[in-house]
Amino acid sequence: MPDLGLSVLLKGKNMARLLGGLWVALRISLIAVAISLPLGILLGVLMAGKNRVVKAILRVYLEFIRIMPQMVLLFLGFFGTTRAFGWNISAELAAIIVFTLWGTAEMSDLVRGAIISIPRHQYESSQALGLNKRQTYFYIILPQAARRLIPLSINLITRMIKTTSLVLMIGVVEVLKVAQQIIEANRMTSPNAAFGLYLTVFVLYFLACWPISLLARYLEKKWR
Amino acid sequence: MKKMKFLLVMALLGLLVFSLAACGGGDASGSGDNGVVYRTVDEIKADGTINIGVFSDKNPFGYVDENGEYQGYDVYFARRIGEDLGVKVNFVSTEAANRTEYLQTGKVDIILANFTVTPERAEEVDFAAPYMNVALGVVSPSDRVIESLDDWAADDEMIVISGTTAETYLINNYPDIKLQKYDSYATAKNALENGNGAAWANDNTEVLAYALQNAGYTVGIPELGNQDTIAPAVSKGNATLLDWLNDEIVALGEENFFHEDYKATLADTYGMDYMESLVVEGGAQ
């Protein structure tokens, strides 16, 4: 086996630092996910609804977030808010806010898509059974939409976890930045450390995202 | 038709929001119409903590060691600044691309991240007196050391990394030298080792470090062309901190502080031979 420079992981507190970086990344993404899933579902239901004005506002919000690269959003959230309004929020809070805005926007569109994909006869059948609008939504439409949502939202959640690698641009030291720091600090003594460290980061991201995939598979089976 | 109209309204609305956001950014980037962004020396002292932006992955200038402590030439200086101001230093990890932004929003008080002084940057931030030199250097195999570019053999090729100052400099000043361009440090290094080119031009700190780590290579030209300097930078208009820094750099010159800094942080990488050419003491030149 070629020398991957894995020995640098054992130097000092390097491994603990990497895990600390992973925790920072997970803290940002999971808080954002926890807020944006319910908010996204709420907005998605509104977007699938009939109110023109509400739909228009949500559409503008969605398009604005969607066309902006996450990097630009992070710069706007961290540096832009200081320039425009003089707010001085911490980099991590700025990252959580940006990720929440992004997650909510994308989630709402996924929910909207899932709801309008429920065939018309489902609405008509439940009406024929005498259910009112609210009951139709809660007992017929949303449970079916939820099942269709699982793979889509898993994609979004894992993407949110992985995109935390951008927050280093606003000074948050997360797992990838720690890896780069370790690689550079050992540039002279173990030039191969880059391979070993990126491999380790890959494994760490995998370990973080895999349980979410497992949960998704479990839910898909259970809700069949 | 109705749908079309609706879409049009949406698009216009979107554009409006977008341009508003863009304008907001544009206005504020002028000269702080929303008040002063920076903190004066007294405010920093009163607060008890100074925020200093450094690199966290540029060994040996600013990096984090295996215990999670910031180290390096820039960091050594930053610690001394904290000591002399009597405040705690809060290190902020910066990237090359966001150093100016940090100062313009006042999120750090000083940038000490190997910041090369250029006229373009000087319009956006205020540079204090320099504390280091940076120039281009040329490394070549020891059996055929290139010591001058004036008698360059017509069929020799020079290795450069695309987008570096070395590339621009050679194109402007030595248009006759054929260049071999590589995208990364690693590929350029391989090219030199395989004998694809006669020599390799890059930042002199890089080539010096390379020659020291790889036997059989010599830096024939340690300083090429116009020398640039590296200096601390503060937010535009922060006169009290700028004056304090300039006085500090002069005062430190009297105790040969930056030579000590070099010995503590750079000597392992560059050896002692280049101390005088790299270090700027007392801001003088």
Side-chain angles (χ1 to χ4, degrees):
Chain A
M1 188 162 149
D3 174 29
L4 292 176
L6 285 171
S7 57
V8 299
L9 285 177
L10 302 175
K11 267 170 78 176
K13 299 177 191 152
N14 280 353
M15 197 62 216
R17 286 172 59 210
L18 265 184
L19 290 174
L22 183 69
W23 170 235
V24 172
L26 285 178
R27 195 165 58 202
I28 291 172
S29 48
L30 293 183
I31 291 177
V33 165
I35 303 173
S36 51
L37 285 191
L39 263 184
I41 291 172
L42 185 71
L43 295 191
V45 171
L46 289 176
M47 276 171 87
K50 294 234 157 42
N51 191 327
R52 275 260 155 114
V53 181
V54 171
K55 277 167 82 171
I57 294 169
L58 290 178
R59 194 82 208 155
V60 172
Y61 163 59
L62 172 66
E63 292 300 336
F64 180 77
I65 300 285
R66 192 151 56 183
I67 52 174
M68 284 290 214
Q70 272 84 43
M71 180 85 98
V72 177
L73 287 175
L74 283 171
F75 264 71
L76 282 179
F78 187 52
F79 296 115
T81 51
T82 311
R83 280 176 180 241
F85 316 114
W87 300 346
N88 210 348
I89 51 179
S90 78
E92 195 173 320
L93 183 62
I96 290 175
I97 292 172
V98 165
F99 272 64
T100 305
L101 287 174
W102 168 44
T104 305
E106 293 218 1
M107 189 65 198
S108 69
D109 206 34
L110 296 180
V111 171
R112 186 188 62 85
I115 288 176
I116 60 172
S117 78
I118 305 294
R120 176 154 218 97
H121 63 76
Q122 295 283 335
Y123 292 87
E124 288 163 355
S125 314
S126 70
Q127 255 178 338
L129 287 171
L131 298 180
N132 66 23
K133 246 193 177 152
R134 179 179 297 247
Q135 287 169 326
T136 306
Y137 245 95
F138 274 98
Y139 297 118
I140 310 295
I141 306 302
L142 286 184
Q144 293 187 77
R147 207 169 59 212
R148 294 177 193 199
L149 263 178
I150 295 170
L152 305 175
S153 39
I154 295 310
N155 275 344
L156 178 63
I157 293 169
T158 49
R159 206 145 45 89
M160 283 171 81
I161 293 175
K162 287 178 288 186
T163 310
T164 52
S165 56
L166 287 181
V167 302
L168 63 89
M169 285 306 298
I170 57 171
V172 180
V173 179
E174 44 65 71
V175 61
L176 194 66
K177 188 71 200 173
V178 175
Q180 287 172 355
Q181 289 175 352
I182 297 174
I183 292 166
E184 266 300 309
N186 297 285
R187 185 165 71 131
M188 314 292 168
T189 47
S190 29
N192 285 329
F195 299 107
L197 271 156
Y198 282 122
L199 188 72
T200 311
V201 170
F202 163 79
V203 172
L204 288 178
Y205 273 124
F206 179 82
L207 290 178
C209 293
W210 180 233
I212 296 171
S213 295
L214 285 181
L215 177 70
R217 213 190 296 172
Y218 169 76
L219 285 180
E220 263 187 276
K221 270 201 189 123
K222 200 180 159 197
W223 290 354
R224 196 186 295 280
Chain B
M1 205 50 222
K2 237 182 179 174
K3 218 169 200 173
M4 282 291 283
K5 229 186 214 164
F6 181 64
L7 280 174
L8 206 75
V9 170
M10 300 300 312
L12 283 176
L13 260 174
L15 217 72
L16 190 74
V17 170
F18 200 68
S19 50
L20 275 177
C23 286
D27 284 348
S29 71
S31 52
D33 48 28
N34 48 326
V36 180
V37 294
Y38 54 78
R39 302 191 298 167
T40 62
V41 172
D42 290 337
E43 283 165 339
I44 294 167
K45 279 183 175 162
D47 180 56
T49 305
I50 186 168
N51 300 314
I52 301 188
V54 294
F55 281 135
S56 67
D57 59 356
K58 296 283 179 294
N59 186 3
F61 299 102
Y63 66 100
V64 180
D65 70 10
E66 66 265 26
N67 295 316
E69 300 285 337
Y70 278 87
Q71 302 294 351
Y73 186 76
D74 295 341
V75 173
Y76 192 94
F77 180 30
R79 290 226 162 86
R80 180 61 188 260
I81 289 174
E83 222 171 86
D84 289 347
L85 271 175
V87 295
K88 238 184 86 215
V89 179
N90 172 36
F91 288 107
V92 178
S93 162
T94 58
E95 306 297 319
N98 63 19
R99 288 176 294 189
T100 311
E101 199 74 23
Y102 265 106
L103 286 176
Q104 286 179 332
T105 52
K107 287 183 188 293
V108 299
D109 300 302
I110 306 175
I111 284 282
L112 271 181
N114 232 247
F115 214 12
T116 306
V117 181
T118 66
E120 297 81 33
R121 284 173 183 163
E123 284 174 13
E124 315 215 305
V125 303
D126 281 341
F127 284 106
Y131 61 97
M132 204 182 115
N133 281 317
V134 60
L136 301 177
V138 178
V139 62
S140 40
S142 300
D143 49 12
R144 188 163 163 256
V145 179
I146 307 268
E147 284 178 331
S148 162
L149 294 184
D150 297 326
D151 47 356
W152 188 261
D155 49 352
D156 274 346
E157 295 191 356
M158 174 75 89
I159 296 167
V160 293
I161 302 175
S162 303
T164 55
T165 42
E167 183 193 13
T168 333
Y169 175 79
L170 288 171
I171 290 173
N172 290 335
N173 296 283
Y174 294 90
D176 295 335
I177 296 182
K178 253 194 251 168
L179 299 181
Q180 250 179 48
K181 299 178 186 177
Y182 294 91
D183 283 334
S184 69
Y185 182 87
T187 46
K189 176 174 179 279
N190 279 337
L192 182 70
E193 285 165 4
N194 294 336
N196 296 359
W200 177 13
N202 201 353
D203 282 1
N204 64 352
T205 48
E206 291 288 340
V207 295
L208 292 172
Y210 176 83
L212 282 166
Q213 287 153 40
N214 296 276
Y217 294 91
T218 307
V219 177
I221 312 175
E223 273 171 47
L224 178 67
N226 43 346
Q227 199 164 56
D228 287 324
T229 53
I230 283 172
V234 300
S235 303
K236 195 89 194 153
N238 193 352
T240 57
L241 188 57
L242 189 68
D243 290 346
W244 186 90
L245 270 174
N246 283 331
D247 292 346
E248 170 82 354
I249 289 170
V250 171
L252 290 176
E254 278 157 28
E255 52 175 278
N256 257 351
F257 172 81
F258 290 105
H259 285 79
E260 289 307 315
D261 188 350
Y262 183 100
K263 286 177 200 159
T265 58
L266 299 187
D268 282 347
T269 313
Y270 302 116
M272 296 302 287
D273 296 349
Y274 299 101
M275 183 157 71
E276 291 311 319
S277 58
L278 287 178
V279 168
V280 177
E281 198 69 78
Q285 238 214 322

